[in-house]
Amino acid sequence: MENTKKILAVSWVTQYCQATVCAAIAVANRFDAELTVIHVVDTQLLQGWNLPFKFHEAEHQKELERIRAELNTIVNREKKEGMKVKTVVKEGNPVEEILKYVEKEKIDLVVLREHEKSRLEQFMVGSSNDEIIRKMPCSILLLKNEPSKKGVRFKA
């Protein structure tokens, strides 16, 4: 862990990711590491349709902007304090996109939030954590926690 210089925090559902990001911030501060928060919008259900989805495209772009804004709100305080932190929003298969990002950016540690899934989360996230854990080429910090409350901060 002493050579941990690049950390990736995975956001599945932005309203519940604050505790994950706070924990990743604490670890990044401890190791003076760069932190990236990634959120992958699963677009697999949209692939293969030949129907015109013009109305859907506008809503999809609004949703991407909302996710970017939420992630930036979560990390802005750390940016103001001089921490090297950025947010990334991607589209596609979440497992594939996260694994590609880890390999491309040479990530040393991935921070994931493990949770008991509601039916909605099971539909949205599926068993992505399990698949990521099996395929991850680097260390993983798996957090077992409740959905965060605003203002929660972890200390390393």
Side-chain angles (χ1 to χ4, degrees):
M1 290 271 304
E2 290 184 23
N3 292 329
T4 301
K5 294 299 173 197
K6 290 188 173 187
I7 298 173
L8 181 68
V10 177
S11 161
W12 289 123
V13 182
T14 54
Q15 70 190 61
Y16 300 128
C17 79
Q18 189 169 355
T20 305
V21 174
C22 288
I25 288 167
V27 174
N29 280 328
R30 178 81 182 245
F31 292 103
D32 193 28
E34 294 177 23
L35 174 63
T36 302
V37 180
I38 190 170
H39 184 97
V40 181
V41 177
D42 191 346
T43 56
Q44 296 176 98
L45 292 176
L46 302 176
Q47 296 171 359
W49 292 90
N50 290 327
L51 301 172
F53 280 113
K54 289 183 182 178
F55 70 94
H56 176 72
E57 184 59 32
E59 290 300 314
H60 180 68
Q61 291 305 318
K62 282 183 190 175
E63 179 67 8
L64 290 176
E65 288 306 313
R66 183 192 64 77
I67 290 168
R68 283 186 186 95
E70 283 184 23
L71 291 177
N72 285 326
T73 298
I74 292 169
V75 301
N76 273 341
R77 181 171 56 193
E78 305 307 321
K79 285 182 181 179
K80 288 177 187 171
E81 294 177 7
M83 183 176 184
K84 299 172 197 167
V85 58
K86 66 180 177 178
T87 57
V88 174
V89 177
K90 293 196 168 273
E91 299 178 63
N93 177 311
V95 174
E96 290 175 10
E97 293 300 322
I98 291 167
L99 290 170
K100 277 194 262 184
Y101 191 86
V102 165
E103 290 180 12
K104 178 183 170 205
E105 296 296 323
K106 297 182 178 25
I107 300 295
D108 301 309
L109 176 68
V110 173
V111 180
L112 288 171
R113 176 180 157 274
E114 181 56 65
H115 50 89
E116 295 186 22
K117 297 178 184 99
S118 67
R119 289 181 194 253
L120 176 62
E121 284 180 307
Q122 181 66 32
F123 173 74
M124 292 174 67
V125 177
S127 59
S128 296
N129 267 6
D130 299 336
E131 192 172 347
I132 288 172
I133 290 168
R134 283 192 306 274
K135 295 180 177 180
M136 191 57 61
C138 64
S139 296
I140 300 170
L141 174 59
L142 188 61
L143 302 172
K144 184 164 180 84
N145 57 25
E146 298 295 321
S148 69
K149 294 180 175 59
K150 290 191 180 223
V152 173
R153 285 188 61 122
F154 285 77
K155 299 283 184 191

